[in-house]
Amino acid sequence: MPILEAKNLTYTYSIGTPFEKTAVDHVDLEIGQGEFIGIIGHTGSGKSTLMQMMNGLLKPTEGTVLLDGKDIWEKGADRRAVRFQVGLVFQYPEYQLFEETVYKDIAFGPKNMGLDEQEIDRRVRETAEAVGLREELLQKSPYALSGGQKRRAAIAGVMAMEPRVLILDEPCAGLDPKGRMKILTQLHDYHKRTGCTVMLVSHSMEDVAKYVSKLLVLSHAKVVAFDSPSAVFADGDRLEEMGLALPQVTRIFHALRAKGITVPDEVYTVKYGAEHLLALLREGGGQC
Amino acid sequence: MLKDITLGQYFPLDSVVHRMDARFKIIITMLYLVMLFWGQHVISLIAGFVFLILALICSKIPPKMPVRSIKPILPVLIFTGTLNFFAMKGGTIYWQWKFLSVSSQGIQTSAFMIVRICLLIMGTSLLTYTTSPIALTDAIESLLSPLKKLNMPVHALAMMMTIALRFIPTLIEETDKIMSAQKARGADMESGGLIQRVHALVPILIPLMVSAFRRAEELALAMECRCYHGGEGRTRLRELKSGMRDYIALGITLLLLAAVIVGNILLSRT
């Protein structure tokens, strides 16, 4: 059974005003346990709205969200409990830091869950380590950290609730390449270590492609594709039409194909691409 | 949730009212308020109502919008309504219990108050619907400029107001976002007693304050980068200009006001 499911999910903003806009339009999704899903789509394609419905922050205008097969908007359902299971890290999460110390801020979520001191302490220390925050930073004010550290502290704040599904909305926005890599590899490690489901929203294909097991492409409030990265990128022209840039290496391989060189069209990591090129060169490099 | 607050939101359309000189619109709105509060007769409410309908038609604003602006002040309306309803004495008394009573005077006054406040809010919200905040503060600056002779920093005050108005929607949006983010971490804002609820506001207020300060600093820097140094010798991109339509609108308003004043005198004589 899928852990998280969306059925016919629709959300419309400002119903009955001139600003009415459907942000998510009849979306069906099935998210399996332990998957690492990348969600891409350009600005305004409905990514953030969809994610906020997944943990019950927004009530769908139409359709349902099922967690373990149970409707989260069912009468009497505990939405707070849902939010502990489906953790959502917002865009620019560092703006939500508020406690005196980093330690207390990371402990905010677990504390709301009603855990005991010992368990909270374990979770705070574990997640701080997972996001690469050194021990001595924990007693500092969150406002004394650097931009990248703040971001990671805020992510740790959600991770510490140990949700079964972790959703991150553009966790790398506004960071330098080094900070981006750091967060992405840490997420990858976290996913491997805990086996929990991770959903990563981004508009950078490059970032996402390397790590995810499945890609969800949104455009104009609708799901355009939901498949493995290789299958999604094989249909690259359609993505480009929607204004989504393919990873550099994929673009190169598509160009090579257009020149009549027989290379696969689903290349999306440099490593995989290099292997193919080397094999091709070994076979009979003369024609290249 | 918070986005539903429409009071003070510009609604860009192309209409006669939108094109009017903001200074005139402010003066007319003030006259409208005088009209509403002149005397205790129904005539002032009728005149106010007529004025509002006229302005609404000319402004092309959908009637839903001003009606919705009443929503945030509903508690105030209910409070004043019930207070007047039970506390006023006079006329025929229908029901009495200790200091509470229902009298014809009470019913009348409370209905009167509610209609008056509704008209007041709808009329003033119409001003902000049809006038951009920038134009509004420009107009206030221009109207207050005689005070410069008294060494009042009129320009600085107007600039402060422009900035404050400009950032209200931004901060509302930000509050919404922070609230969602803390809710995602299990913050509980809907249950518990008063103290618990106040306590629950801390995770929202602190980030909000921090972000307000951050924005203020960024704005100050940006203004300095563009060599802002107060109002001395500053010219405007959009000059305030008054024309025929402004005088006509003012004329109609004055006429209505005069009708209210005359009506009041005549009615109080009998």
mmCIF file of all heavy atoms in Angstrom, chain A residues 16-19 52 55 57 80 83-84 88 90 95-98 105 108-109 112 143 157-158 161, chain B residues 3 11 62 64-65 68 177-178 180-188 202-203 206-207 210 214:
data_model
loop_
_atom_site.group_PDB
_atom_site.id
_atom_site.type_symbol
_atom_site.label_atom_id
_atom_site.label_comp_id
_atom_site.label_asym_id
_atom_site.label_seq_id
_atom_site.Cartn_x
_atom_site.Cartn_y
_atom_site.Cartn_z
ATOM 1 N N GLY A 16 -14.345 32.874 -5.667
ATOM 2 C CA GLY A 16 -15.379 33.899 -5.685
ATOM 3 C C GLY A 16 -14.855 35.312 -5.728
ATOM 4 O O GLY A 16 -15.597 36.253 -5.525
ATOM 5 N N THR A 17 -13.563 35.498 -5.960
ATOM 6 C CA THR A 17 -13.036 36.847 -6.141
ATOM 7 C C THR A 17 -12.401 36.930 -7.524
ATOM 8 O O THR A 17 -12.208 35.908 -8.179
ATOM 9 C CB THR A 17 -11.956 37.191 -5.093
ATOM 10 O OG1 THR A 17 -10.777 36.447 -5.422
ATOM 11 C CG2 THR A 17 -12.392 36.851 -3.686
ATOM 12 N N PRO A 18 -12.086 38.141 -7.959
ATOM 13 C CA PRO A 18 -11.448 38.247 -9.279
ATOM 14 C C PRO A 18 -10.068 37.584 -9.302
ATOM 15 O O PRO A 18 -9.505 37.381 -10.361
ATOM 16 C CB PRO A 18 -11.314 39.755 -9.508
ATOM 17 C CG PRO A 18 -12.076 40.420 -8.429
ATOM 18 C CD PRO A 18 -12.359 39.442 -7.353
ATOM 19 N N PHE A 19 -9.522 37.258 -8.104
ATOM 20 C CA PHE A 19 -8.182 36.675 -8.073
ATOM 21 C C PHE A 19 -8.209 35.147 -8.051
ATOM 22 O O PHE A 19 -7.218 34.513 -7.761
ATOM 23 C CB PHE A 19 -7.433 37.180 -6.839
ATOM 24 C CG PHE A 19 -7.433 38.664 -6.701
ATOM 25 C CD1 PHE A 19 -8.146 39.282 -5.684
ATOM 26 C CD2 PHE A 19 -6.731 39.453 -7.595
ATOM 27 C CE1 PHE A 19 -8.154 40.662 -5.564
ATOM 28 C CE2 PHE A 19 -6.727 40.828 -7.479
ATOM 29 C CZ PHE A 19 -7.446 41.439 -6.466
ATOM 30 N N GLN A 52 1.711 21.502 0.562
ATOM 31 C CA GLN A 52 1.022 21.913 1.781
ATOM 32 C C GLN A 52 -0.273 21.148 1.998
ATOM 33 O O GLN A 52 -0.774 21.075 3.112
ATOM 34 C CB GLN A 52 0.740 23.414 1.750
ATOM 35 C CG GLN A 52 1.981 24.224 2.031
ATOM 36 C CD GLN A 52 1.705 25.698 2.039
ATOM 37 O OE1 GLN A 52 0.852 26.185 2.781
ATOM 38 N NE2 GLN A 52 2.409 26.435 1.209
ATOM 39 N N ASN A 55 0.396 17.523 3.900
ATOM 40 C CA ASN A 55 0.477 17.341 5.346
ATOM 41 C C ASN A 55 -0.662 18.071 6.069
ATOM 42 O O ASN A 55 -0.581 18.372 7.255
ATOM 43 C CB ASN A 55 1.849 17.762 5.881
ATOM 44 C CG ASN A 55 1.979 19.245 6.058
ATOM 45 O OD1 ASN A 55 1.267 20.012 5.436
ATOM 46 N ND2 ASN A 55 2.883 19.661 6.909
ATOM 47 N N LEU A 57 -1.922 21.115 5.838
ATOM 48 C CA LEU A 57 -1.908 22.541 6.168
ATOM 49 C C LEU A 57 -2.965 23.273 5.365
ATOM 50 O O LEU A 57 -3.559 24.233 5.829
ATOM 51 C CB LEU A 57 -0.532 23.142 5.877
ATOM 52 C CG LEU A 57 0.498 23.011 6.989
ATOM 53 C CD1 LEU A 57 1.830 23.550 6.530
ATOM 54 C CD2 LEU A 57 0.054 23.709 8.253
ATOM 55 N N ARG A 80 -2.765 17.252 13.517
ATOM 56 C CA ARG A 80 -1.456 17.511 14.105
ATOM 57 C C ARG A 80 -0.597 16.252 14.032
ATOM 58 O O ARG A 80 0.580 16.304 13.726
ATOM 59 C CB ARG A 80 -1.623 17.950 15.555
ATOM 60 C CG ARG A 80 -1.086 19.346 15.789
ATOM 61 C CD ARG A 80 -1.341 19.780 17.195
ATOM 62 N NE ARG A 80 -0.125 20.031 17.903
ATOM 63 C CZ ARG A 80 0.043 19.752 19.192
ATOM 64 N NH1 ARG A 80 -0.920 19.203 19.879
ATOM 65 N NH2 ARG A 80 1.174 20.047 19.776
ATOM 66 N N ARG A 83 0.814 15.864 10.704
ATOM 67 C CA ARG A 83 1.983 16.727 10.436
ATOM 68 C C ARG A 83 3.261 16.182 11.062
ATOM 69 O O ARG A 83 4.350 16.501 10.604
ATOM 70 C CB ARG A 83 1.703 18.138 10.945
ATOM 71 C CG ARG A 83 0.770 18.861 10.004
ATOM 72 C CD ARG A 83 0.311 20.184 10.517
ATOM 73 N NE ARG A 83 -0.980 20.492 9.909
ATOM 74 C CZ ARG A 83 -1.926 21.167 10.492
ATOM 75 N NH1 ARG A 83 -1.757 21.638 11.703
ATOM 76 N NH2 ARG A 83 -3.064 21.389 9.875
ATOM 77 N N PHE A 84 3.123 15.397 12.117
ATOM 78 C CA PHE A 84 4.321 14.776 12.691
ATOM 79 C C PHE A 84 4.808 13.637 11.804
ATOM 80 O O PHE A 84 5.979 13.299 11.807
ATOM 81 C CB PHE A 84 4.032 14.243 14.097
ATOM 82 C CG PHE A 84 3.733 15.349 15.082
ATOM 83 C CD1 PHE A 84 2.684 15.224 15.982
ATOM 84 C CD2 PHE A 84 4.490 16.506 15.102
ATOM 85 C CE1 PHE A 84 2.403 16.241 16.886
ATOM 86 C CE2 PHE A 84 4.210 17.526 15.999
ATOM 87 C CZ PHE A 84 3.166 17.393 16.890
ATOM 88 N N LEU A 88 7.099 18.804 6.830
ATOM 89 C CA LEU A 88 7.248 19.721 5.702
ATOM 90 C C LEU A 88 8.240 20.825 6.056
ATOM 91 O O LEU A 88 8.072 21.535 7.039
ATOM 92 C CB LEU A 88 5.878 20.329 5.356
ATOM 93 C CG LEU A 88 5.845 21.399 4.278
ATOM 94 C CD1 LEU A 88 6.373 20.859 2.955
ATOM 95 C CD2 LEU A 88 4.441 21.925 4.080
ATOM 96 N N PHE A 90 9.540 24.276 4.811
ATOM 97 C CA PHE A 90 9.117 25.321 3.887
ATOM 98 C C PHE A 90 10.301 25.931 3.154
ATOM 99 O O PHE A 90 11.453 25.716 3.512
ATOM 100 C CB PHE A 90 8.413 26.428 4.658
ATOM 101 C CG PHE A 90 6.953 26.186 4.810
ATOM 102 C CD1 PHE A 90 6.484 25.306 5.767
ATOM 103 C CD2 PHE A 90 6.052 26.824 3.988
ATOM 104 C CE1 PHE A 90 5.145 25.072 5.907
ATOM 105 C CE2 PHE A 90 4.708 26.590 4.116
ATOM 106 C CZ PHE A 90 4.254 25.714 5.084
ATOM 107 N N TYR A 95 13.754 31.427 8.171
ATOM 108 C CA TYR A 95 12.950 32.534 8.685
ATOM 109 C C TYR A 95 11.986 32.097 9.772
ATOM 110 O O TYR A 95 11.239 32.892 10.304
ATOM 111 C CB TYR A 95 12.174 33.209 7.548
ATOM 112 C CG TYR A 95 13.067 33.901 6.562
ATOM 113 C CD1 TYR A 95 12.676 34.107 5.244
ATOM 114 C CD2 TYR A 95 14.324 34.357 6.942
ATOM 115 C CE1 TYR A 95 13.515 34.722 4.331
ATOM 116 C CE2 TYR A 95 15.168 34.962 6.038
ATOM 117 C CZ TYR A 95 14.755 35.142 4.736
ATOM 118 O OH TYR A 95 15.584 35.752 3.848
ATOM 119 N N GLN A 96 11.964 30.804 10.074
ATOM 120 C CA GLN A 96 11.052 30.351 11.118
ATOM 121 C C GLN A 96 11.773 30.118 12.443
ATOM 122 O O GLN A 96 11.152 29.793 13.436
ATOM 123 C CB GLN A 96 10.364 29.063 10.672
ATOM 124 C CG GLN A 96 11.298 27.867 10.784
ATOM 125 C CD GLN A 96 10.773 26.639 10.102
ATOM 126 O OE1 GLN A 96 9.993 26.730 9.164
ATOM 127 N NE2 GLN A 96 11.191 25.494 10.562
ATOM 128 N N LEU A 97 13.106 30.265 12.460
ATOM 129 C CA LEU A 97 13.863 30.059 13.696
ATOM 130 C C LEU A 97 13.466 31.115 14.712
ATOM 131 O O LEU A 97 13.345 32.283 14.377
ATOM 132 C CB LEU A 97 15.367 30.141 13.417
ATOM 133 C CG LEU A 97 15.929 29.117 12.437
ATOM 134 C CD1 LEU A 97 17.361 29.450 12.088
ATOM 135 C CD2 LEU A 97 15.846 27.725 13.020
ATOM 136 N N PHE A 98 13.261 30.705 15.956
ATOM 137 C CA PHE A 98 12.829 31.711 16.929
ATOM 138 C C PHE A 98 13.367 31.507 18.335
ATOM 139 O O PHE A 98 13.305 32.412 19.152
ATOM 140 C CB PHE A 98 11.296 31.742 16.989
ATOM 141 C CG PHE A 98 10.701 30.539 17.648
ATOM 142 C CD1 PHE A 98 10.328 30.591 18.982
ATOM 143 C CD2 PHE A 98 10.541 29.368 16.957
ATOM 144 C CE1 PHE A 98 9.793 29.472 19.605
ATOM 145 C CE2 PHE A 98 10.015 28.259 17.567
ATOM 146 C CZ PHE A 98 9.640 28.297 18.888
ATOM 147 N N ASP A 105 15.541 25.266 19.385
ATOM 148 C CA ASP A 105 14.742 25.391 18.170
ATOM 149 C C ASP A 105 14.524 24.039 17.504
ATOM 150 O O ASP A 105 13.422 23.732 17.048
ATOM 151 C CB ASP A 105 15.404 26.359 17.183
ATOM 152 C CG ASP A 105 14.369 26.987 16.282
ATOM 153 O OD1 ASP A 105 13.933 26.309 15.327
ATOM 154 O OD2 ASP A 105 13.966 28.116 16.549
ATOM 155 N N PHE A 108 11.859 22.092 19.233
ATOM 156 C CA PHE A 108 10.484 22.598 19.228
ATOM 157 C C PHE A 108 9.480 21.569 18.710
ATOM 158 O O PHE A 108 8.445 21.323 19.348
ATOM 159 C CB PHE A 108 10.419 23.876 18.382
ATOM 160 C CG PHE A 108 9.055 24.508 18.312
ATOM 161 C CD1 PHE A 108 8.468 25.054 19.444
ATOM 162 C CD2 PHE A 108 8.358 24.566 17.105
ATOM 163 C CE1 PHE A 108 7.221 25.647 19.377
ATOM 164 C CE2 PHE A 108 7.108 25.160 17.035
ATOM 165 C CZ PHE A 108 6.541 25.699 18.176
ATOM 166 N N GLY A 109 9.812 20.955 17.574
ATOM 167 C CA GLY A 109 8.910 19.948 17.002
ATOM 168 C C GLY A 109 8.716 18.751 17.922
ATOM 169 O O GLY A 109 7.592 18.431 18.305
ATOM 170 N N ASN A 112 6.599 19.489 20.859
ATOM 171 C CA ASN A 112 5.176 19.546 20.534
ATOM 172 C C ASN A 112 4.572 18.147 20.415
ATOM 173 O O ASN A 112 3.371 17.976 20.558
ATOM 174 C CB ASN A 112 4.954 20.297 19.224
ATOM 175 C CG ASN A 112 5.107 21.789 19.396
ATOM 176 O OD1 ASN A 112 4.833 22.319 20.466
ATOM 177 N ND2 ASN A 112 5.559 22.469 18.357
ATOM 178 N N TYR A 143 20.375 33.028 15.405
ATOM 179 C CA TYR A 143 20.657 34.207 14.578
ATOM 180 C C TYR A 143 22.145 34.478 14.441
ATOM 181 O O TYR A 143 22.557 35.350 13.697
ATOM 182 C CB TYR A 143 19.930 35.427 15.145
ATOM 183 C CG TYR A 143 18.434 35.254 15.045
ATOM 184 C CD1 TYR A 143 17.654 35.021 16.171
ATOM 185 C CD2 TYR A 143 17.811 35.294 13.804
ATOM 186 C CE1 TYR A 143 16.285 34.826 16.065
ATOM 187 C CE2 TYR A 143 16.446 35.097 13.687
ATOM 188 C CZ TYR A 143 15.692 34.870 14.819
ATOM 189 O OH TYR A 143 14.341 34.680 14.698
ATOM 190 N N GLY A 157 15.167 20.870 12.408
ATOM 191 C CA GLY A 157 13.984 21.051 13.238
ATOM 192 C C GLY A 157 12.817 20.187 12.797
ATOM 193 O O GLY A 157 12.010 19.751 13.612
ATOM 194 N N VAL A 158 12.709 19.968 11.479
ATOM 195 C CA VAL A 158 11.629 19.108 10.978
ATOM 196 C C VAL A 158 12.047 17.641 11.039
ATOM 197 O O VAL A 158 11.272 16.770 11.424
ATOM 198 C CB VAL A 158 11.234 19.512 9.543
ATOM 199 C CG1 VAL A 158 10.185 18.563 8.988
ATOM 200 C CG2 VAL A 158 10.707 20.938 9.542
ATOM 201 N N MET A 161 11.494 15.495 14.178
ATOM 202 C CA MET A 161 10.193 14.883 14.468
ATOM 203 C C MET A 161 10.153 13.453 13.929
ATOM 204 O O MET A 161 9.181 12.739 14.130
ATOM 205 C CB MET A 161 9.059 15.699 13.849
ATOM 206 C CG MET A 161 9.027 17.136 14.352
ATOM 207 S SD MET A 161 7.542 18.043 13.883
ATOM 208 C CE MET A 161 7.523 17.850 12.139
ATOM 209 N N LYS B 3 -5.308 36.317 4.617
ATOM 210 C CA LYS B 3 -5.390 36.953 3.302
ATOM 211 C C LYS B 3 -6.774 37.541 3.055
ATOM 212 O O LYS B 3 -6.954 38.355 2.176
ATOM 213 C CB LYS B 3 -5.050 35.933 2.221
ATOM 214 C CG LYS B 3 -3.577 35.766 2.018
ATOM 215 C CD LYS B 3 -3.310 34.818 0.863
ATOM 216 C CE LYS B 3 -1.915 34.269 0.980
ATOM 217 N NZ LYS B 3 -1.884 32.819 0.883
ATOM 218 N N PHE B 11 -7.465 48.128 -5.467
ATOM 219 C CA PHE B 11 -8.110 47.269 -6.450
ATOM 220 C C PHE B 11 -8.009 47.960 -7.808
ATOM 221 O O PHE B 11 -8.826 48.809 -8.136
ATOM 222 C CB PHE B 11 -9.578 47.085 -6.042
ATOM 223 C CG PHE B 11 -10.241 45.917 -6.685
ATOM 224 C CD1 PHE B 11 -10.174 44.662 -6.100
ATOM 225 C CD2 PHE B 11 -10.952 46.063 -7.858
ATOM 226 C CE1 PHE B 11 -10.795 43.582 -6.679
ATOM 227 C CE2 PHE B 11 -11.577 44.980 -8.442
ATOM 228 C CZ PHE B 11 -11.505 43.730 -7.850
ATOM 229 N N PRO B 62 -16.623 45.750 -7.724
ATOM 230 C CA PRO B 62 -17.730 44.823 -7.460
ATOM 231 C C PRO B 62 -18.266 45.013 -6.034
ATOM 232 O O PRO B 62 -17.467 45.092 -5.093
ATOM 233 C CB PRO B 62 -17.093 43.441 -7.609
ATOM 234 C CG PRO B 62 -15.642 43.651 -7.740
ATOM 235 C CD PRO B 62 -15.391 45.060 -8.092
ATOM 236 N N LYS B 64 -19.357 43.218 -3.894
ATOM 237 C CA LYS B 64 -18.907 42.222 -2.914
ATOM 238 C C LYS B 64 -17.743 42.753 -2.083
ATOM 239 O O LYS B 64 -17.635 42.480 -0.903
ATOM 240 C CB LYS B 64 -18.396 40.992 -3.672
ATOM 241 C CG LYS B 64 -19.416 39.910 -3.852
ATOM 242 C CD LYS B 64 -18.747 38.663 -4.403
ATOM 243 C CE LYS B 64 -18.091 38.929 -5.745
ATOM 244 N NZ LYS B 64 -17.785 37.764 -6.538
ATOM 245 N N MET B 65 -16.860 43.505 -2.740
ATOM 246 C CA MET B 65 -15.612 43.900 -2.073
ATOM 247 C C MET B 65 -15.844 44.768 -0.836
ATOM 248 O O MET B 65 -15.352 44.444 0.229
ATOM 249 C CB MET B 65 -14.679 44.603 -3.065
ATOM 250 C CG MET B 65 -14.314 43.766 -4.256
ATOM 251 S SD MET B 65 -13.182 42.417 -3.854
ATOM 252 C CE MET B 65 -11.737 43.336 -3.396
ATOM 253 N N ARG B 68 -17.329 42.796 1.923
ATOM 254 C CA ARG B 68 -16.397 41.909 2.591
ATOM 255 C C ARG B 68 -15.519 42.663 3.600
ATOM 256 O O ARG B 68 -15.050 42.091 4.574
ATOM 257 C CB ARG B 68 -15.513 41.230 1.556
ATOM 258 C CG ARG B 68 -14.784 40.040 2.137
ATOM 259 C CD ARG B 68 -14.014 39.293 1.103
ATOM 260 N NE ARG B 68 -14.857 38.832 0.015
ATOM 261 C CZ ARG B 68 -14.393 38.529 -1.191
ATOM 262 N NH1 ARG B 68 -13.142 38.669 -1.449
ATOM 263 N NH2 ARG B 68 -15.211 38.117 -2.129
ATOM 264 N N LYS B 177 2.946 32.662 6.206
ATOM 265 C CA LYS B 177 3.958 31.662 5.918
ATOM 266 C C LYS B 177 4.578 31.122 7.205
ATOM 267 O O LYS B 177 4.726 29.916 7.375
ATOM 268 C CB LYS B 177 5.048 32.304 5.051
ATOM 269 C CG LYS B 177 5.466 31.444 3.899
ATOM 270 C CD LYS B 177 6.680 32.014 3.241
ATOM 271 C CE LYS B 177 6.381 32.550 1.865
ATOM 272 N NZ LYS B 177 7.443 33.410 1.357
ATOM 273 N N ILE B 178 4.918 32.029 8.113
ATOM 274 C CA ILE B 178 5.549 31.599 9.365
ATOM 275 C C ILE B 178 4.575 30.732 10.157
ATOM 276 O O ILE B 178 4.951 29.700 10.719
ATOM 277 C CB ILE B 178 6.004 32.818 10.191
ATOM 278 C CG1 ILE B 178 7.116 33.554 9.454
ATOM 279 C CG2 ILE B 178 6.510 32.378 11.553
ATOM 280 C CD1 ILE B 178 7.485 34.884 10.048
ATOM 281 N N SER B 180 2.214 28.828 9.007
ATOM 282 C CA SER B 180 2.162 27.493 8.398
ATOM 283 C C SER B 180 3.391 26.691 8.773
ATOM 284 O O SER B 180 3.301 25.503 9.094
ATOM 285 C CB SER B 180 2.078 27.595 6.882
ATOM 286 O OG SER B 180 0.963 28.320 6.508
ATOM 287 N N ALA B 181 4.553 27.358 8.721
ATOM 288 C CA ALA B 181 5.798 26.643 9.000
ATOM 289 C C ALA B 181 5.805 26.122 10.440
ATOM 290 O O ALA B 181 6.235 24.997 10.692
ATOM 291 C CB ALA B 181 6.990 27.553 8.756
ATOM 292 N N GLN B 182 5.335 26.934 11.373
ATOM 293 C CA GLN B 182 5.335 26.474 12.769
ATOM 294 C C GLN B 182 4.272 25.419 12.995
ATOM 295 O O GLN B 182 4.452 24.514 13.798
ATOM 296 C CB GLN B 182 5.134 27.640 13.745
ATOM 297 C CG GLN B 182 6.112 28.788 13.595
ATOM 298 C CD GLN B 182 7.560 28.416 13.830
ATOM 299 O OE1 GLN B 182 7.959 27.272 13.644
ATOM 300 N NE2 GLN B 182 8.369 29.389 14.214
ATOM 301 N N LYS B 183 3.169 25.540 12.270
ATOM 302 C CA LYS B 183 2.138 24.508 12.381
ATOM 303 C C LYS B 183 2.684 23.182 11.874
ATOM 304 O O LYS B 183 2.358 22.127 12.406
ATOM 305 C CB LYS B 183 0.924 24.904 11.542
ATOM 306 C CG LYS B 183 -0.152 25.614 12.338
ATOM 307 C CD LYS B 183 -1.435 25.443 11.569
ATOM 308 C CE LYS B 183 -2.313 26.632 11.589
ATOM 309 N NZ LYS B 183 -3.207 26.722 10.455
ATOM 310 N N ALA B 184 3.509 23.256 10.824
ATOM 311 C CA ALA B 184 4.101 22.042 10.286
ATOM 312 C C ALA B 184 5.002 21.389 11.321
ATOM 313 O O ALA B 184 5.271 20.200 11.258
ATOM 314 C CB ALA B 184 4.898 22.358 9.018
ATOM 315 N N ARG B 185 5.488 22.179 12.285
ATOM 316 C CA ARG B 185 6.313 21.607 13.355
ATOM 317 C C ARG B 185 5.457 21.299 14.588
ATOM 318 O O ARG B 185 5.960 21.151 15.688
ATOM 319 C CB ARG B 185 7.427 22.572 13.730
ATOM 320 C CG ARG B 185 8.444 22.734 12.621
ATOM 321 C CD ARG B 185 9.794 23.095 13.155
ATOM 322 N NE ARG B 185 9.896 24.501 13.528
ATOM 323 C CZ ARG B 185 10.902 24.976 14.248
ATOM 324 N NH1 ARG B 185 11.840 24.190 14.706
ATOM 325 N NH2 ARG B 185 10.949 26.264 14.531
ATOM 326 N N GLY B 186 4.153 21.313 14.381
ATOM 327 C CA GLY B 186 3.263 20.893 15.458
ATOM 328 C C GLY B 186 2.838 21.987 16.405
ATOM 329 O O GLY B 186 2.265 21.694 17.454
ATOM 330 N N ALA B 187 3.134 23.258 16.073
ATOM 331 C CA ALA B 187 2.667 24.335 16.940
ATOM 332 C C ALA B 187 1.145 24.296 16.985
ATOM 333 O O ALA B 187 0.491 24.101 15.967
ATOM 334 C CB ALA B 187 3.140 25.676 16.408
ATOM 335 N N ASP B 188 0.610 24.480 18.171
ATOM 336 C CA ASP B 188 -0.833 24.370 18.347
ATOM 337 C C ASP B 188 -1.377 25.748 18.666
ATOM 338 O O ASP B 188 -1.116 26.294 19.723
ATOM 339 C CB ASP B 188 -1.128 23.398 19.486
ATOM 340 C CG ASP B 188 -2.606 23.096 19.577
ATOM 341 O OD1 ASP B 188 -3.356 23.596 18.722
ATOM 342 O OD2 ASP B 188 -2.999 22.372 20.496
ATOM 343 N N VAL B 202 4.529 33.297 20.430
ATOM 344 C CA VAL B 202 5.966 33.589 20.439
ATOM 345 C C VAL B 202 6.674 33.065 19.193
ATOM 346 O O VAL B 202 7.407 33.809 18.547
ATOM 347 C CB VAL B 202 6.609 33.050 21.734
ATOM 348 C CG1 VAL B 202 8.119 33.201 21.689
ATOM 349 C CG2 VAL B 202 6.037 33.785 22.935
ATOM 350 N N PRO B 203 6.449 31.801 18.812
ATOM 351 C CA PRO B 203 7.147 31.297 17.625
ATOM 352 C C PRO B 203 6.780 32.034 16.340
ATOM 353 O O PRO B 203 7.454 31.880 15.335
ATOM 354 C CB PRO B 203 6.686 29.835 17.523
ATOM 355 C CG PRO B 203 6.142 29.491 18.848
ATOM 356 C CD PRO B 203 5.635 30.751 19.451
ATOM 357 N N ILE B 206 8.386 36.333 17.005
ATOM 358 C CA ILE B 206 9.827 36.562 16.952
ATOM 359 C C ILE B 206 10.356 36.539 15.521
ATOM 360 O O ILE B 206 10.993 37.494 15.082
ATOM 361 C CB ILE B 206 10.583 35.591 17.880
ATOM 362 C CG1 ILE B 206 10.266 35.980 19.328
ATOM 363 C CG2 ILE B 206 12.080 35.619 17.634
ATOM 364 C CD1 ILE B 206 10.871 35.093 20.362
ATOM 365 N N PRO B 207 10.064 35.476 14.748
ATOM 366 C CA PRO B 207 10.540 35.520 13.361
ATOM 367 C C PRO B 207 9.983 36.712 12.590
ATOM 368 O O PRO B 207 10.670 37.291 11.750
ATOM 369 C CB PRO B 207 10.021 34.212 12.761
ATOM 370 C CG PRO B 207 9.747 33.330 13.901
ATOM 371 C CD PRO B 207 9.370 34.207 15.042
ATOM 372 N N VAL B 210 11.976 39.804 13.545
ATOM 373 C CA VAL B 210 13.309 39.720 12.953
ATOM 374 C C VAL B 210 13.236 40.060 11.474
ATOM 375 O O VAL B 210 14.036 40.834 10.958
ATOM 376 C CB VAL B 210 13.891 38.305 13.156
ATOM 377 C CG1 VAL B 210 15.171 38.131 12.360
ATOM 378 C CG2 VAL B 210 14.148 38.051 14.626
ATOM 379 N N ARG B 214 14.927 43.113 9.386
ATOM 380 C CA ARG B 214 15.792 42.818 8.244
ATOM 381 C C ARG B 214 15.339 43.617 7.020
ATOM 382 O O ARG B 214 16.125 44.260 6.334
ATOM 383 C CB ARG B 214 15.747 41.317 7.951
ATOM 384 C CG ARG B 214 16.702 40.844 6.886
ATOM 385 C CD ARG B 214 16.668 39.324 6.801
ATOM 386 N NE ARG B 214 15.312 38.797 6.853
ATOM 387 C CZ ARG B 214 14.509 38.729 5.800
ATOM 388 N NH1 ARG B 214 14.915 39.150 4.637
ATOM 389 N NH2 ARG B 214 13.290 38.249 5.932
#
